[in-house]
Amino acid sequence: MLISGSPAPDLELEDTTGQAWRLFQHRGVHNVLLYFMRSTSCPLCNRHVRDLAARQDRFDEDNIHVAVVAPEGRSPALAWKTERGIPFPVLSGAAASPHESIGLTRKVFGALQQSGTVLVDLDGIVRHAHGATLPLNSHDRKGLLAAIDSVLGRPIG
């Protein structure tokens, strides 16, 4: 898993239209918040996405580009985005699993998909990285909002 304070990797994903999406293209433009879902059928992951969508106005005001990363691939991601009315870009891996590229898989008795949240600042530095095997623990809202306040230079609390 990524570590806060480290440079973010140059993730290359694709959106639901098949267009390339690269993390480095956001450097110097806005902060980026990525939510990696365990799966689009996970009810807890869906709840976390709804929580992010409810905060969309705040993210827009704070110049934070939010994207949801789905592991199933572009076609299922598009169907899920359309059915749920997701206001953010939904991304998937063009070739490999985007979750593996940032360390969100765990090998126990085979591979286990994890979910998590990553906040990258304008300079391309990871400011919040939180992952969990259980979806219940994958969205640390309090920690994420504190990290956003820190990135924006606001008092935390």
Side-chain angles (χ1 to χ4, degrees):
M1 182 66 190
L2 300 175
I3 298 171
S4 293
S6 66
D10 183 22
L11 293 176
E12 185 169 347
L13 305 171
E14 67 179 14
D15 67 15
T16 53
T17 66
Q19 295 297 308
W21 186 98
R22 295 192 69 179
L23 184 57
F24 87 88
Q25 292 175 318
H26 298 272
R27 232 174 256 155
V29 179
H30 45 253
N31 304 290
V32 177
L33 171 60
L34 296 167
Y35 178 64
F36 288 79
M37 300 181 76
R38 185 174 183 176
S39 81
T40 56
S41 63
C42 171
L44 291 172
C45 294
N46 277 281
R47 186 174 77 191
H48 298 321
V49 172
R50 283 192 306 274
D51 181 63
L52 293 172
R55 298 174 190 285
Q56 181 180 10
D57 289 342
R58 178 178 176 185
F59 294 137
D60 290 344
E61 289 171 14
D62 291 340
N63 193 29
I64 299 171
H65 175 80
V66 178
V68 176
V69 183
E72 291 92 350
R74 185 166 46 120
S75 293
L78 175 59
W80 174 80
K81 175 183 170 67
T82 303
E83 178 184 322
R84 306 273 177 154
I86 305 302
F88 310 120
V90 177
L91 310 171
S92 60
S97 164
H99 292 64
E100 285 180 20
S101 66
I102 66 161
L104 276 176
T105 54
R106 186 167 270 162
K107 304 267 185 201
V108 181
F109 297 106
L112 182 59
Q113 189 78 6
Q114 294 181 292
S115 52
T117 308
V118 176
L119 175 66
V120 178
D121 71 11
L122 287 165
D123 298 320
I125 304 298
V126 175
R127 295 299 173 193
H128 175 82
H130 181 82
T133 303
L134 297 175
L136 183 62
N137 302 323
S138 69
H139 182 58
D140 175 17
R141 180 186 313 151
K142 185 177 178 182
L144 174 61
L145 295 177
I148 289 170
D149 287 341
S150 176
V151 164
L152 298 174
R154 293 193 293 232
I156 298 174

